[in-house]
């Protein structure tokens, strides 16, 4: 072997030929060289070496063989030397396998002799499948010996593949592609796992390789496209590579969509662009966990991109934004902000959000998630939580940009905000009830108030659905009370920031919705919450909208607990009445008024038979509020208040006995007169008037003495006003208004009486009006009554 090597040294020796080649850089060899005796002798020697099992000093052959391979590449036409190249490659592989069977035991001399660049050039320069086969086998073996060198040259291989082989639609080209993928891509995987000594640019190398495929994606025959890219990304690991490839495809869409649309004409309405359609179809070929991880990384990458590209505006002022190099440092090789315009940056972020929204709601992906077994679904819980958490943070960022955006960009950020909310809603729709509750519980402990607030909003959206409670574990629902009560724990603290007050209001709403469905089956736990809420409404530190939320929460708790709430009745009813009383000076209805009226209605509906000690105060406050707002016909805020006040009055009529209601109305009448609340007498006496329709004849007979005594006392109002101190006279209009309400109630009573029952009442009234000579005012009142009756 040594003799043969020495004999043919003038042809293949690095000491001779390579030096001459360097002096004549562009020298092209003639095919006449292949006919020389030395070349033929060398071919015979190579055929002998490639199958020789017993070789000594094998490492000495590596440099001459690579020199000979380099010599073959200098021919102007490659087909005549394909066989020679195949022999050289076969000999190189045989020598490498002899020196290092497991691709691990190598020495410095061997590493220096292996020339990866020449091998890559051989792959690119050849069109022969056998040459490709031999070269890839050798490259695969060298990859185990020197992965870093193969990594540095891998882009050249894939660039060649993208420009030459990918566009060929035949079985052989697909096999070559598959072979390259199986051979080269594991190198990148090993590099990312730390096998390569200098692997800081692994992500950049992966992006560079994937960009070749992204650029040529639409040139690959459609029936091979998904299979090929699924194989590539599966080899790389879809959890780490799918999001990179999708970002590159979407970037390519942003760069080429306009020109492709112009050249091919407009697409049909609703039809996706070809690259987006390909990206969606490719994503659906992977598992739901890989897709969710991909969504998380894409959202994080969008957040890392600058809000706007730094550029000078018309006034020459440089716009401040996030560092332009942040995204480049995160993943080198992806969207380069410095090489794109501001419009392309905005379009790129918009395209990613649109893609994610479409992907998460696609029927095939939803069906994939629905078909998963429970165990696999539970494994996705941390991924769902991570995705929702990142979406909440991104929504907060977009919302801030929307609030502070300039006039020309408001519309863009409005659309982005809608897309972000849409993505979050679609993630929420994917979650089964059990997983949803586990995710929400984790998010309620998040350090950011905005994330906690959005988590409670998502929870409330589900709690409004009655079917949700039948499909989830109630034990998991009870577990949410602890973090919700923790949010409520700071209510009343003067140092709490406004954004935390919003969280407290939403937490109260969550507790209210949970109480609506869970309190009847577990009253003991919610009784403790009722006591806490009662303390809050008694505190003067709770005001405005937060007070409204607390009152509504109390109302729902009372409505759900019913008899179990009696223990704290003497605490929360006076507090509610006090809040209702404080609203009488309002000029327009507000949220607190509507809330406290709603709470009063729910208390009256839930505990009507236990409200006797508070009946007078309830009647007074309801009458005052109803008199104030009942004439509002076109106020959207006032109409709900009036409807609920009338509902309270109607509920009292239907649940409180008339024998109890009559003395209460009499006492309230005196109180309102003393407070000069004459307009409130109408709503109050209408309660008594309406109660007459519920009485039977025997009840009329039994209660007639009380009715008679009340109306005689009420009709005395005009005469009493005339006898009062002239320095504080009651206005005639007020007298007429109050007397009119009394007369209307008396007429309502008369119309319910029979002739035999009315006659004694008439004689009593006539005697009252005519028997006294003190004043003529009684007669005026009496004849006003007669005019209304007749």
């Amino acid at each position: 072997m040594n003799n043969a090597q020495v004999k043919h040294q003038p042809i293949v020796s690095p000491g001779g030929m390579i030096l001459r080649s360097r002096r004549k850089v562009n020298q092209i060899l003639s095919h006449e060289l292949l006919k020389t005796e030395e070349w033929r002798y060398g071919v015979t020697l190579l055929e002998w070496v490639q199958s020789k099992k017993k070789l000594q000093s094998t490492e000495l052959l590596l440099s001459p063989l690579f020199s000979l391979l380099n010599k073959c590449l200098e021919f102007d036409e490659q087909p005549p030397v394909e066989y020679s190249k195949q022999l050289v490659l076969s000999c190189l592989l045989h020598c490498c396998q002899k020196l290092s069977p497991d691709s691990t035991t190598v020495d410095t001399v061997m590493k220096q002799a292996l020339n990866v660049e020449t091998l890559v050039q051989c792959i690119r320069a050849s069109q022969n499948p056998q040459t490709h086969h031999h070269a890839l086998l050798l490259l695969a073996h060298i990859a185990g010996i020197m992965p870093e060198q193969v990594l540095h040259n891998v882009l050249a291989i894939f660039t060649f593949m993208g420009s030459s082989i990918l566009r060929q639609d035949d079985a052989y080209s697909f096999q070559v592609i598959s072979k390259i993928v199986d051979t080269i891509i594991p190198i990148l995987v090993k590099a990312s796992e730390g096998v390569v000594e200098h692997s800081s640019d692994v992500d950049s190398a992966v992006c560079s390789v994937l960009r070749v495929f992204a650029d040529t994606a639409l040139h690959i025959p459609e029936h091979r496209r998904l299979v090929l890219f699924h194989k590539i990304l599966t080899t790389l690991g879809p959890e780490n590579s799918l999001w990179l490839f999708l970002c590159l495809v979407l970037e390519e869409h942003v760069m080429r969509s306009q020109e492709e649309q112009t050249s091919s004409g407009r697409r049909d309405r609703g039809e996706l662009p070809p690259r987006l359609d390909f990206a969606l179809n490719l994503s659906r070929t992977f598992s739901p966990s890989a897709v969710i991880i991909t969504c998380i990384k894409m959202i994080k990458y969008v957040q890392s991109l600058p809000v706007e590209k730094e550029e000078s505006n018309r006034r020459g002022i440089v716009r401040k934004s996030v560092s332009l190099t942040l995204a480049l440092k995160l993943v080198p090789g992806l969207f380069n902000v410095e090489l794109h315009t501001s419009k392309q940056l905005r379009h790129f972020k918009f395209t990613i959000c649109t893609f994610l929204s479409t992907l998460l709601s696609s029927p095939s992906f939803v069906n994939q998630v629905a078909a998963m077994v429970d165990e696999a679904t539970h494994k996705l819980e941390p991924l769902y939580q991570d995705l929702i958490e990142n979406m909440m943070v991104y929504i907060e960022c977009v919302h801030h940009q929307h609030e502070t955006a300039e006039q020309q960009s408001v519309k863009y950020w409005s659309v982005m905000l809608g897309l972000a909310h849409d993505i979050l809603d679609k993630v929420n729709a994917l979650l089964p009830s059990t997983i949803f509750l586990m995710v929400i519980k984790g998010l309620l402990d998040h350090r950011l108030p905005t994330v906690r607030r959005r988590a409670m909003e998502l929870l409330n959206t589900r709690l409004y659905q009655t079917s949700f409670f039948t499909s989830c574990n109630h034990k998991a629902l009870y577990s949410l009370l602890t973090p919700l009560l923790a949010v409520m724990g700071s209510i009343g603290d003067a140092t709490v920031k406004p954004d935390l007050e919003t969280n407290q209001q939403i937490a109260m709403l969550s507790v209210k919705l949970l109480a609506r469905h869970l309190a009847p089956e577990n009253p003991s736990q919610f009784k403790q919450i009722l006591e806490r809420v009662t303390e809050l409404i008694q505190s003067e530190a709770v005001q405005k909208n937060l007070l409204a939320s607390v009152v509504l929460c109390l109302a729902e708790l009372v409505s759900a607990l019913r008899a179990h709430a009696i223990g704290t009745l003497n605490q929360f009813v006076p507090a509610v009445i006090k809040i209702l009383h404080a609203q009488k000076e309002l000029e327009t209805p507000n949220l607190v008024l509507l809330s406290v009226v709603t709470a009063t209605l729910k208390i009256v509906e839930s505990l009507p038979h236990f409200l006797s000690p508070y009946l007078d105060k309830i009647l007074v406050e309801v009458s005052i509020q109803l008199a104030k707002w009942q004439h509002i016909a076109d106020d959207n805020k006032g109409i709900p208040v009036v409807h609920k006040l009338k509902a309270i009055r109607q509920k009292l009529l239907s649940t409180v006995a008339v024998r109890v209601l009559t003395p209460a109305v009499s006492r309230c009448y005196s109180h309102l007169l003393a407070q000069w609340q004459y307009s409130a007498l109408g709503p109050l006496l209408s309660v008594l008037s309406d109660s007459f329709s519920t009485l039977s004849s025997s009840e009329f007979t039994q209660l007639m003495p009380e009715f008679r005594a009340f109306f005689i006392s009420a009709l005395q109002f005009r005469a009493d006003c005339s006898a009062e101190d002239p320095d504080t006279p009651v206005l005639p209009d007020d007298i007429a208004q109050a007397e009119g309400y009394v007369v209307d109630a008396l007429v309502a009573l008369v119309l319910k009486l029979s002739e035999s029952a009315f006659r004694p009442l008439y004689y009593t009234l006539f005697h009252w009006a005519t028997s006294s000579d003190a004043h003529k005012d009684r007669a005026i009142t009496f004849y006003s009554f007669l005019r209304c009756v007749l």
Side-chain angles (χ1 to χ4, degrees):
M1 181 66 191
N2 290 334
N3 293 334
Q5 194 172 23
V6 171
K7 182 175 183 179
H8 296 287
Q9 190 173 359
I11 298 178
V12 297
S13 170
M17 184 170 296
I18 291 180
L19 291 176
R20 288 194 296 271
S21 175
R22 289 178 181 174
R23 287 194 296 269
K24 299 179 180 181
V25 178
N26 296 323
Q27 180 182 9
I28 299 177
L29 301 181
S30 171
H31 293 151
E32 297 297 327
L33 182 61
L34 302 179
K35 301 177 182 180
T36 62
E37 181 179 353
E38 291 83 355
W39 189 274
R40 292 175 180 175
Y41 183 78
V43 170
T44 303
L45 182 60
L46 291 174
E47 291 174 342
W48 176 77
V49 171
Q50 70 174 345
S51 60
K52 191 65 176 177
K53 294 183 179 180
K54 295 182 180 181
L55 291 176
Q56 296 178 357
S57 302
T58 311
E59 66 277 3
L60 299 178
L61 292 174
L62 296 179
S63 292
L65 288 173
F66 271 106
S67 298
L68 183 57
L69 181 61
N70 191 46
K71 189 70 175 179
C72 292
L73 296 175
E74 294 178 3
F75 283 86
D76 55 348
E77 295 183 6
Q78 289 295 304
V81 292
E82 291 294 346
Y83 180 66
S84 301
K85 290 191 292 185
Q86 293 168 21
L87 288 174
V88 174
L89 294 170
S90 180
C91 291
L92 283 169
L93 178 61
H94 181 59
C95 293
C96 290
Q97 290 174 341
K98 291 288 291 181
L99 292 171
S100 178
D102 56 356
S103 301
T104 56
T105 308
V106 293
D107 53 21
T108 305
V109 176
M110 182 177 177
K111 284 187 176 182
Q112 291 176 351
L114 296 176
N115 192 332
V116 179
E117 293 182 5
T118 302
L119 186 58
V120 172
Q121 185 181 354
C122 179
I123 297 175
R124 292 169 57 87
S126 176
Q127 299 293 328
N128 188 285
Q130 288 298 321
T131 305
H132 288 158
H133 174 74
H134 286 84
L136 290 173
L137 288 176
L138 178 59
L139 187 64
H141 192 85
I142 295 177
I145 300 174
M146 300 185 302
E148 65 278 6
Q149 292 191 20
V150 177
L151 180 64
H152 294 325
N153 291 276
V154 74
L155 182 59
I157 302 173
F158 284 108
T159 304
F160 155 71
M161 187 181 70
S163 61
S164 303
I165 301 180
L166 285 181
R167 292 172 174 81
Q168 301 176 15
D169 185 16
D170 54 66
Y172 164 70
S173 63
F174 186 75
Q175 290 176 1
V176 171
I177 295 169
S178 300
K179 187 64 178 178
I180 293 178
V181 169
D182 291 335
T183 303
I184 305 303
I185 287 186
I187 301 170
L188 303 179
V189 178
K190 289 182 180 180
S192 63
E193 294 174 353
V195 176
V196 179
E197 296 178 1
H198 305 285
S199 58
S200 58
D201 294 333
V202 170
D203 286 337
S204 180
V206 172
C207 285
S208 299
V209 171
L210 291 179
R211 185 178 293 278
V212 174
F213 291 102
D215 292 344
T216 59
L218 297 185
H219 297 290
I220 303 173
E222 189 172 353
H223 65 284
R224 300 185 186 277
R225 192 179 298 161
L226 290 179
V227 179
L228 170 64
F229 286 102
H230 181 81
K231 181 178 181 64
I232 294 170
L233 297 175
T234 302
T235 306
L236 276 172
E239 290 82 2
N240 298 321
S241 61
L242 178 57
W243 78 277
L244 293 172
F245 182 72
L246 292 177
C247 286
L248 292 170
V249 172
L250 297 182
E251 179 187 358
E252 192 71 14
H253 164 74
V254 170
M255 298 299 297
R256 300 181 182 272
S257 59
Q258 190 64 37
E259 59 186 53
E260 289 180 353
Q261 184 174 349
T262 304
S263 60
S264 61
R266 288 194 170 187
R267 299 185 302 273
D268 294 337
R269 188 173 183 178
E271 181 183 356
L272 286 174
R275 283 188 174 81
L276 293 184
D277 186 55
F278 160 67
L280 284 172
N281 292 330
L282 178 63
S283 301
R284 294 167 189 151
T285 62
F286 294 96
S287 65
S289 61
V291 173
I292 295 174
I293 291 173
T294 298
C295 294
I296 294 171
K297 293 187 175 182
M298 292 180 76
I299 287 297
K300 287 182 177 180
Y301 183 68
V302 171
Q303 292 182 52
S304 72
L305 291 170
V307 175
E308 289 287 350
K309 182 177 178 180
E310 291 182 359
E311 56 185 4
S312 300
N313 57 20
R314 292 181 180 179
R315 297 181 181 179
I317 302 174
V318 178
R319 180 176 300 178
K320 301 297 182 181
S321 67
V322 182
S323 173
L324 291 175
T325 59
L326 176 60
L328 295 176
K329 290 180 179 178
L330 181 66
V331 181
L334 277 185
F335 191 89
N336 192 332
V337 181
E338 296 176 349
L339 301 180
H340 294 83
T341 64
S342 296
K343 181 178 179 181
Q344 289 170 338
L345 174 62
R346 292 192 297 269
H347 191 190
F348 180 61
K349 292 189 285 189
F350 169 79
T351 303
I352 290 180
C353 291
T354 304
F355 171 78
L356 292 178
S357 176
T358 307
L359 173 61
L360 291 171
S361 61
S362 62
S364 57
F365 178 70
V366 173
N367 292 336
Q368 270 186 297
V369 175
M372 296 176 66
V373 297
D374 293 341
E375 183 178 354
T377 303
H378 280 283
K379 291 181 179 179
L380 294 180
E381 177 199 342
L383 297 180
Y384 281 128
Q385 182 171 333
D386 195 9
L387 178 56
I388 292 176
E389 179 180 332
N390 278 281
M391 279 309 308
M392 290 177 178
V393 173
Y394 182 61
I395 286 174
E396 187 68 20
C397 296
V398 176
H399 178 72
H400 175 72
Q401 294 303 323
H402 179 260
E403 294 294 324
T404 60
E406 298 178 359
Q407 185 65 33
Q408 61 268 23
S409 59
V410 169
K411 186 176 181 180
Y412 168 76
W413 289 113
S414 178
V415 172
M416 290 296 292
L417 184 62
L419 278 173
H421 281 288
D422 192 44
I423 294 172
L424 184 60
D425 291 339
K426 288 174 179 178
V427 176
N428 184 22
L430 288 174
L431 299 179
S433 300
T434 305
I435 300 299
F436 171 79
L437 292 176
M438 297 172 68
V439 170
I440 291 299
K441 184 178 179 182
L443 293 175
L444 288 177
D445 295 328
H446 198 275
R447 61 181 181 84
L448 292 178
T450 54
V451 174
R452 296 197 297 270
R453 179 172 68 248
R454 188 57 181 162
M456 289 186 288
E457 290 174 351
L458 290 176
L459 174 63
N460 294 343
T461 302
R462 288 283 186 103
L463 294 179
Y464 274 116
Q465 304 169 5
T466 306
S467 59
F468 174 70
F469 290 88
T470 60
S471 61
C472 66
N473 184 1
H474 283 195
K475 185 177 180 181
L477 286 172
Y478 286 120
S479 67
L480 297 177
L481 289 174
T482 300
L484 290 174
L485 292 176
V487 177
M488 294 168 50
S490 59
I491 293 179
D493 188 353
T495 61
V496 174
K497 298 179 181 179
D499 58 340
L500 293 181
E501 286 190 3
T502 304
N503 284 17
Q504 293 167 353
Q505 294 179 51
I506 300 175
M508 299 295 294
L509 176 58
S510 301
V511 172
K512 183 184 83 169
L513 295 173
L514 288 171
R516 179 180 300 173
H517 296 275
L518 301 180
E521 68 181 37
N522 187 6
S524 59
Q525 188 166 0
F526 285 91
K527 284 171 64 177
Q528 299 175 0
I529 300 176
L530 176 61
E531 293 173 359
R532 169 59 181 157
V533 174
T534 301
E535 294 174 359
L536 293 176
I537 67 168
Q538 291 174 328
S539 172
E540 295 183 356
V542 183
Q543 295 294 329
K544 298 182 179 180
N545 291 346
L546 185 57
L547 177 61
S549 298
V550 174
V551 170
L552 288 175
C553 183
L554 172 81
E556 197 62 51
L557 287 167
V558 173
S559 177
L561 291 171
R562 293 188 176 273
H564 295 283
I566 295 175
T568 52
L569 180 70
N570 61 343
Q571 298 177 34
F572 64 76
V573 172
V576 170
I577 294 175
K578 181 180 179 181
I579 296 172
L580 183 59
H581 178 75
Q583 311 308 311
K584 67 179 182 179
E585 302 298 334
L586 293 177
E587 296 182 359
T588 58
N590 60 12
L591 183 60
V592 176
L593 174 61
L594 179 60
S595 300
V596 72
V597 170
T598 303
T600 305
L601 175 60
K602 283 187 174 290
I603 292 172
V604 171
E605 290 176 338
S606 305
L607 304 169
H609 304 296
F610 301 93
L611 297 178
S612 297
Y614 313 102
L615 184 58
D616 291 7
K617 292 183 179 180
I618 292 175
L619 283 173
V620 167
E621 299 301 333
V622 170
S623 298
I624 291 174
Q625 295 294 340
L626 191 55
K628 186 171 186 176
W629 307 114
Q630 65 182 350
H631 301 297
I632 297 177
D634 55 351
D635 191 341
N636 293 330
K637 295 181 180 179
I639 292 175
V641 173
V642 173
H643 286 171
K644 291 182 183 296
L645 288 170
K646 291 182 178 179
I648 294 172
R649 185 183 64 183
Q650 191 61 35
K651 189 63 181 179
L652 290 174
L653 280 171
S654 61
T655 55
V656 180
V658 179
R659 58 181 177 80
V660 178
L661 193 62
T662 302
V665 170
S666 179
R667 293 190 296 270
C668 293
Y669 178 82
S670 301
H671 177 80
L672 292 175
L673 285 181
Q675 298 294 324
W676 302 291
Q677 296 286 349
Y678 304 119
S679 60
L681 295 177
L684 174 66
L685 293 176
S686 66
V687 175
L688 187 61
S689 302
D690 294 340
S691 69
F692 297 151
S693 60
T694 64
L695 297 177
S696 62
S697 299
S698 59
E699 290 174 324
F700 266 117
T701 303
Q702 182 181 0
L703 294 173
M704 186 54 68
E706 293 186 24
F707 293 153
R708 188 183 305 117
F710 169 72
F711 281 110
I712 290 295
S713 174
L715 291 173
Q716 182 67 24
F717 177 63
R718 180 183 289 272
D720 291 342
C721 289
S722 298
E724 286 181 356
D725 186 358
D727 293 335
T728 57
V730 180
L731 297 177
D733 290 341
D734 293 335
I735 297 174
Q737 182 183 29
E739 186 177 89
Y741 292 140
V742 176
V743 170
D744 290 341
L746 180 58
V747 170
L749 173 64
V750 170
L751 295 177
K752 295 296 181 180
L753 297 176
S754 62
E755 182 180 352
S756 58
F758 171 67
R759 187 176 292 109
L761 177 61
Y762 174 77
Y763 287 138
T764 301
L765 293 174
F766 181 78
H767 182 268
W768 168 81
T770 58
S771 62
S772 175
D773 297 332
H775 207 280
K776 62 180 180 179
D777 292 309
R778 287 187 179 182
I780 296 174
T781 302
F782 178 72
Y783 285 112
S784 298
F785 160 68
L786 289 181
R787 185 182 62 182
C788 293
V789 172
L790 299 176

